[in-house]
Amino acid sequence: MFGLPAVPASAGEARRTVRELLGEWDVPTETAEDVLLITSELVTNALTHTDSEWIVCRLQCTGRRLRIEVEDQSGGPTQPARRRPGPDDQNGRGLMLVGMLSSDWGVRDTPQRSGRVVWAELPSEGRETPEPAPPTAPHENEALTMTDPSWT
């Protein structure tokens, strides 16, 4: 777990920190690349779509699963949602990529309800399936409502 200020340079810092951790865990290269891309997308979304001063990143490896979480302080007015961008759209592919690379992902409110956590899970030893994962309800059985088309 590590915290970062909500500034654009934090996306790169998050990737560097996660890369080091994955190296210490001997995560295979393909999986590490997927985790880095997911981390980058989730951090960038938190920086772009919230009014947070800080974000918190968590990475867990439990058995055969890797879980990435990015928590913001100020969740914004709506939930993040996967979009279907057109071929000429320059934005809107972030959560689509997260869904394609992960086996599961979702959103939950923070315990204080002032922010939210966007998370993704994937196998620690490579992709299990080429099918994109749709978002699911968080493991804590909290409701998941994803409606805002501005989240990428």
Side-chain angles (χ1 to χ4, degrees):
M1 178 171 72
F2 57 96
L4 298 166
V7 297
S10 289
E13 182 62 30
R15 285 190 301 273
R16 282 186 290 281
T17 302
V18 169
R19 182 181 291 116
E20 289 175 17
L21 184 56
L22 295 174
E24 292 172 14
W25 290 349
D26 293 323
V27 172
T29 302
E30 177 184 319
T31 302
E33 290 173 1
D34 290 349
V35 171
L36 290 169
L37 181 55
I38 290 169
T39 300
S40 184
E41 293 298 334
L42 297 183
V43 168
T44 299
N45 279 350
L47 296 173
T48 303
H49 298 290
T50 72
D51 293 327
S52 301
E53 292 182 26
W54 283 88
I55 58 170
V56 176
C57 299
R58 292 180 197 86
L59 189 66
Q60 299 172 322
C61 188
T62 55
R64 298 173 53 175
R65 312 290 302 155
L66 276 167
R67 183 175 174 100
I68 305 119
E69 294 184 352
V70 175
E71 178 180 335
D72 62 59
Q73 294 175 311
S74 169
T78 57
Q79 293 278 353
R82 200 162 140 183
R83 295 173 51 189
R84 293 183 184 263
D88 296 330
D89 291 340
Q90 294 187 14
N91 297 309
R93 290 175 180 78
L95 290 178
M96 184 173 71
L97 286 171
V98 170
M100 292 174 65
L101 296 175
S102 65
S103 56
D104 198 8
W105 73 279
V107 182
R108 65 179 166 83
D109 289 332
T110 59
Q112 306 84 4
R113 303 284 188 244
S114 60
R116 65 177 57 105
V117 177
V118 183
W119 57 269
E121 289 187 348
L122 60 159
S124 61
E125 297 184 11
R127 295 183 199 142
E128 294 174 338
T129 175
E131 296 296 318
T136 63
H139 289 107
E140 292 78 16
N141 293 324
E142 294 179 29
L144 174 67
T145 306
M146 301 194 346
T147 57
D148 182 9
S150 68
W151 275 73
T152 59

